[in-house]
Amino acid sequence: MSIYNRFAPDKRWIALQAQSGRRLQSAELNEIQSLSLYRDKRMGDVIFGSGHIIEGGQIYVQDDKKKVIIFPATVYFDGVIHDIGERIIPLTGHGEEIIGLKITYTTITYEMQKELLDPAVGYANFGSPGMDRLVATPEWVLNDAAAIPMYRLADGEVVTAKVPPELEGFTPVLARRTYDASGSFLVSGMDGFIEPAEGDDVTLVIEAGKAYVLGYEINRLVPTRIKLKKSLDSRRVSDEVKTFVAGTTRYSLNSKPVKAIQEITARVQLPSIGITRGGSSLQDALPADAVVDIVSIVQGTKTYAKGKDYQLTENSVDWSIGTARPAIGETYRVTFEYMKQMAQGTDYKLEAGKNEVTWLSGDLPVAGSIFNVTYDYYLSRKDAFYLTADGQIRIVTGQSDVHPPSPPVPPDVLELGELQYPPASSDVIVVNNKPKRLTMLELRSLLDRLERAEYNQAMLELDRTAQISDPATFKKGFFTDNFTNFERADLERGFDAMIDPSNQTLQLPVNQLFFEMEAESLDSVHQHERLLTLEYAEQLIIDQSYGTEALNVNPYQVFGSQATIRLTPSQDSWVETSYIYQTVWGWWDAWWTGNRSETRVILDENIPFIRQRVVTVYGEGFEPNSNNLQATFDGVDVALVPAASYEAGTKPGTIKANGAGKFAATFAIPPNIRTGTREVRIFNYV
């Protein structure tokens, strides 16, 4: 049987108009449906955006990273809102894995389902076949190129995921407006730094943060870790020339750091050896290749003259130029020099970490001669890391060189920073570009600073003019100071203020004391975590005892991700104060002795690591009596100490939930945790 459908969007049909007396065509019924679906799709794409989750769809990766659970979801695709049930998908846990949404369309006929036969009892068409049914079956699939990408995982960790849209069809318009006005910019976070690693890799950690790329909002909730290769590319130096000095065994190579020595050739002189005079020709072959020079020939007490009695010809002693020579069959002793390929480990070695050739107890070059070294040395490299509009962090690997150039970055991304790799080293330098947008408050602060600078500049000009032009008698009663030196300070009367010459500011001595506020008694106050309020009694203001409608707040009965934890304190701010004494006098002395050195007396700088302190964690919604709950702080294991009335777990450093699935415990923040947003996880293995 055939299904006819003549609908096409380019025909610009708006409606099908029925005419009296004409029969209804099957194609017209199909076209009515297609027209309606096309209209719905156009409208839905404007509001939602195709392939976006409207509700649900939370993703949970199990601790072994071998399975992922996707909870029930409502997804809009191709003009239809689909309901998808919970699905467990196996993973490999290695590399990049893409979970996508695939819609399969099937046709159901009356042969497959008898209930599609006409149910109109008592009519002539009872039990007759009717229309077929087109069924859409959505499903989650792994690494299917035909599916719509929804979740991207890297080594078992969720990197990006679809989120419920906010008028997704309008988002491109808003994004284009944002990009035209401000470009791509960083709101907060996303600084990169290097963590220690082993082997040939280093780990780049990019902090959590928020940014806009091409106007689209990117919000990364947890830090991202990326493994990168060190700069291990090398370049070869052929026949680097060194002069051998008698008594010197160490020779530094020009290009560093040295990876390996491939070859050393040197001019070597061996002790005299015996050669027997041959009878077939006037040349006696020497037992070496690449002979450079014959130093001497001696037979008994007779020494032959070079250039008169013999000469060097093709690695042989040539007796053809003279008449004085040994008789055939007689033995004479020859001392000669030749070019030798030196043996590593016997004649020389590469001094590890010093980039030097060290000569050993084997053969040595001739004093004053040159030797050639062929070796490989490591190169540097520069990489760049950037953020794409779909939330992915990418690395651009640069070209290795002695002085490597910065790699090119695509034009439609947000460049976050640059990585500078020393040769064969883990000490990678991260240069964060910080392409951060300025808030109105920051712009106001910059404007205030500019106005102060202009005012100070004007005062300085007036002061300079007054000093030069006004007569000395008219200056009585006026005092000016531009705070660039101590020329006008009365240092004999206990002057202890601090001057910043670069900013032209004066600051009086400051002693700061910080106190941790503690409540002596909670009898008359209420405590809400870190907030204290006066005693109060709750009163009912308004009561709605009747419901206007019923709303199922959990239509899918999903309870797998209801556990929550709360930290006290959940954030920390502190100031570390250092006092510097007698800096005024030392600076003043240096000024007048002519050795001026400007020094900032007060230095504000960000502290890179979180201070260690004890944090209380409250948990609820866990499985009742769940045992061996363990915790990590930014991926580092921490030991949980149960609070009063709560039990420790069976394993050391863990805790056990009570019958209501709750617990309270404390832990100490581990050392060397960088400041910023950090993830705390509470979990156990069942």
Side-chain angles (χ1 to χ4, degrees):
M1 299 184 66
S2 301
I3 298 176
Y4 297 97
N5 190 340
R6 295 161 295 195
F7 173 78
D10 57 1
K11 293 182 179 180
R12 301 181 180 276
W13 291 356
I14 298 177
L16 274 69
Q17 297 178 336
Q19 299 292 333
S20 302
R22 297 181 184 177
R23 295 183 178 181
L24 179 66
Q25 303 173 9
S26 63
E28 293 173 339
L29 293 176
N30 295 329
E31 291 159 6
I32 290 174
Q33 296 180 84
S34 297
L35 181 61
S36 177
L37 289 173
Y38 178 72
R39 185 186 298 112
D40 293 344
K41 180 180 182 302
R42 294 286 298 272
M43 186 69 69
D45 288 349
V46 171
I47 298 175
F48 299 114
S50 184
H52 278 74
I53 297 173
I54 298 177
E55 184 181 6
Q58 296 88 356
I59 184 171
Y60 171 71
V61 181
Q62 294 186 349
D63 293 323
D64 58 1
K65 299 181 180 179
K66 296 300 182 183
K67 291 182 180 179
V68 62
I69 301 175
I70 302 179
F71 295 109
T74 302
V75 181
Y76 172 81
F77 173 72
D78 203 18
V80 180
I81 297 177
H82 302 272
D83 292 326
I84 311 174
E86 182 178 308
R87 173 74 188 279
I88 299 177
I89 301 177
L91 300 174
T92 63
H94 301 287
E96 184 178 78
E97 297 177 275
I98 306 295
I99 297 177
L101 176 64
K102 188 174 184 180
I103 309 294
T104 304
Y105 295 96
T106 56
T107 301
I108 304 297
T109 65
Y110 73 93
E111 290 94 346
M112 302 168 61
Q113 294 183 5
K114 296 301 182 182
E115 62 182 13
L116 297 182
L117 296 174
D118 195 335
V121 179
Y123 292 89
N125 58 331
F126 171 72
S128 300
M131 296 184 182
D132 296 335
R133 305 303 192 264
L134 182 64
V135 178
T137 304
E139 60 178 339
W140 301 112
V141 294
L142 181 67
N143 297 330
D144 191 333
I148 307 170
M150 303 291 284
Y151 306 95
R152 187 170 69 90
L153 298 94
D155 296 328
E157 297 288 342
V158 179
V159 179
T160 57
K162 294 283 187 178
V163 296
E166 298 176 356
L167 300 178
E168 187 66 23
F170 301 136
T171 299
V173 178
L174 299 176
R176 184 167 60 251
R177 183 184 182 92
T178 302
Y179 181 70
D180 290 343
S182 305
S184 298
F185 58 89
L186 186 65
V187 177
S188 62
M190 293 196 188
D191 286 342
F193 63 91
I194 296 295
E195 282 187 345
E198 297 180 355
D200 294 340
D201 297 328
V202 294
T203 301
L204 171 64
V205 182
I206 299 176
E207 297 281 20
K210 184 178 181 180
Y212 284 85
V213 182
L214 298 181
Y216 292 94
E217 179 184 356
I218 306 297
N219 195 5
R220 302 182 69 88
L221 301 179
V222 295
T224 301
R225 287 172 168 82
I226 304 174
K227 282 191 175 181
L228 303 172
K229 290 293 183 183
K230 298 178 183 177
S231 181
L232 299 177
D233 292 341
S234 60
R235 180 176 294 168
R236 180 159 296 182
V237 176
S238 298
D239 296 328
E240 183 175 305
V241 177
K242 298 292 179 182
T243 301
F244 184 78
V245 179
T248 302
T249 59
R250 294 177 180 271
Y251 296 85
S252 178
L253 297 175
N254 296 341
S255 300
K256 305 175 180 62
V258 178
K259 178 181 180 181
I261 295 178
Q262 301 297 329
E263 180 184 78
I264 294 182
T265 56
R267 184 171 180 170
V268 176
Q269 177 179 313
L270 296 180
S272 61
I273 60 173
I275 300 293
T276 301
R277 176 77 173 84
S280 59
S281 68
L282 293 177
Q283 293 184 359
D284 297 329
L286 296 173
D289 296 327
V291 177
V292 178
D293 186 28
I294 298 176
V295 179
S296 65
I297 297 180
V298 178
Q299 185 182 26
T301 59
K302 180 177 177 55
T303 299
Y304 293 93
K306 180 169 58 175
K308 177 181 178 182
D309 298 330
Y310 66 89
Q311 66 180 0
L312 174 64
T313 302
E314 296 179 352
N315 299 326
S316 299
V317 180
D318 185 356
W319 298 100
S320 62
I321 63 173
T323 56
R325 64 178 70 94
I328 297 174
E330 291 183 345
T331 300
Y332 55 92
R333 303 198 66 81
V334 181
T335 301
F336 63 93
E337 298 174 356
Y338 70 102
M339 298 302 298
K340 176 186 176 182
Q341 183 173 333
M342 313 302 284
Q344 189 165 187
T346 302
D347 299 329
Y348 70 92
K349 70 175 182 179
L350 174 64
E351 196 69 27
K354 296 184 179 180
N355 306 299
E356 294 178 343
V357 175
T358 300
W359 291 103
L360 304 176
S361 58
D363 292 337
L364 296 176
V366 175
S369 67
I370 63 172
F371 60 91
N372 299 325
V373 185
T374 299
Y375 61 96
D376 298 331
Y377 67 96
Y378 289 108
L379 301 173
S380 302
R381 192 178 81 238
K382 288 183 180 179
D383 293 350
F385 58 99
Y386 61 87
L387 182 67
T388 64
D390 58 354
Q392 301 183 28
I393 294 179
R394 298 294 190 187
I395 307 294
V396 179
T397 303
Q399 180 67 40
S400 299
D401 207 336
V402 177
H403 301 290
S406 298
V409 177
D412 54 350
V413 300
L414 177 61
E415 186 176 359
L416 297 176
E418 185 178 81
L419 305 172
Q420 299 175 358
Y421 296 80
S425 174
S426 300
D427 300 328
V428 181
I429 299 174
V430 182
V431 180
N432 293 300
N433 292 342
K434 297 184 180 296
K436 187 178 179 181
R437 63 91 174 91
L438 296 176
T439 63
M440 294 305 298
L441 184 61
E442 292 170 330
L443 291 175
R444 179 72 251 179
S445 176
L446 288 176
L447 179 59
D448 291 342
R449 291 175 57 186
L450 179 59
E451 290 176 348
R452 287 196 300 268
E454 291 177 344
Y455 174 79
N456 293 334
Q457 182 66 25
M459 293 298 296
L460 181 62
E461 291 297 330
L462 290 175
D463 184 41
R464 184 181 296 110
T465 302
Q467 290 184 14
I468 297 175
S469 61
D470 292 346
T473 56
F474 292 164
K475 296 180 180 179
K476 183 178 180 180
F478 292 90
F479 178 80
T480 60
D481 193 344
N482 56 12
F483 300 137
T484 58
N485 53 52
F486 294 94
E487 180 180 354
R488 304 184 184 186
D490 189 355
L491 302 178
E492 302 296 332
R493 299 181 181 273
F495 184 87
D496 56 357
M498 294 173 288
I499 287 179
D500 185 350
S502 60
N503 293 324
Q504 299 182 6
T505 59
L506 175 75
Q507 181 172 336
L508 298 178
V510 176
N511 289 326
Q512 298 179 355
L513 296 177
F514 295 89
F515 296 95
E516 187 81 18
M517 302 298 293
E518 297 182 358
E520 295 182 356
S521 174
L522 300 178
D523 296 337
S524 61
V525 296
H526 272 304
Q527 181 176 6
H528 309 274
E529 296 184 5
R530 303 180 67 182
L531 177 65
L532 295 177
T533 65
L534 294 176
E535 184 73 29
Y536 64 87
E538 295 183 355
Q539 293 184 357
L540 182 61
I541 301 297
I542 187 172
D543 181 22
Q544 164 64 303
S545 58
Y546 299 98
T548 56
E549 62 176 319
L551 175 63
N552 190 349
V553 296
N554 191 4
Y556 302 107
Q557 299 296 308
V558 177
F559 302 98
S561 59
Q562 299 300 314
T564 59
I565 60 174
R566 177 168 48 88
L567 302 180
T568 302
S570 59
Q571 60 185 7
D572 193 12
S573 299
W574 72 98
V575 176
E576 295 184 4
T577 306
S578 299
Y579 296 98
I580 305 176
Y581 300 98
Q582 297 179 348
T583 55
V584 172
W585 305 105
W587 192 92
W588 175 81
D589 179 73
W591 176 273
W592 286 107
T593 55
N595 298 321
R596 178 184 178 187
S597 59
E598 295 187 4
T599 304
R600 286 186 178 272
V601 179
I602 296 180
L603 179 63
D604 295 332
E605 58 184 355
N606 294 326
I607 300 174
F609 300 106
I610 299 176
R611 66 169 172 173
Q612 293 182 256
R613 62 175 300 177
V614 176
V615 178
T616 303
V617 56
Y618 302 93
E620 60 182 17
F622 289 82
E623 292 290 336
N625 300 313
S626 181
N627 194 14
N628 294 329
L629 293 171
Q630 56 186 5
T632 60
F633 189 93
D634 195 35
V636 179
D637 294 333
V638 293
L640 294 174
V641 179
S645 74
Y646 292 97
E647 300 180 27
T650 305
K651 297 180 180 179
T654 63
I655 196 172
K656 181 179 180 181
N658 60 16
K662 298 182 179 181
F663 69 86
T666 60
F667 66 87
I669 297 178
N672 299 325
I673 300 297
R674 297 184 71 92
T675 55
T677 302
R678 290 293 170 260
E679 181 185 35
V680 178
R681 296 186 65 221
I682 306 291
F683 60 95
N684 68 346
Y685 294 99
V686 181

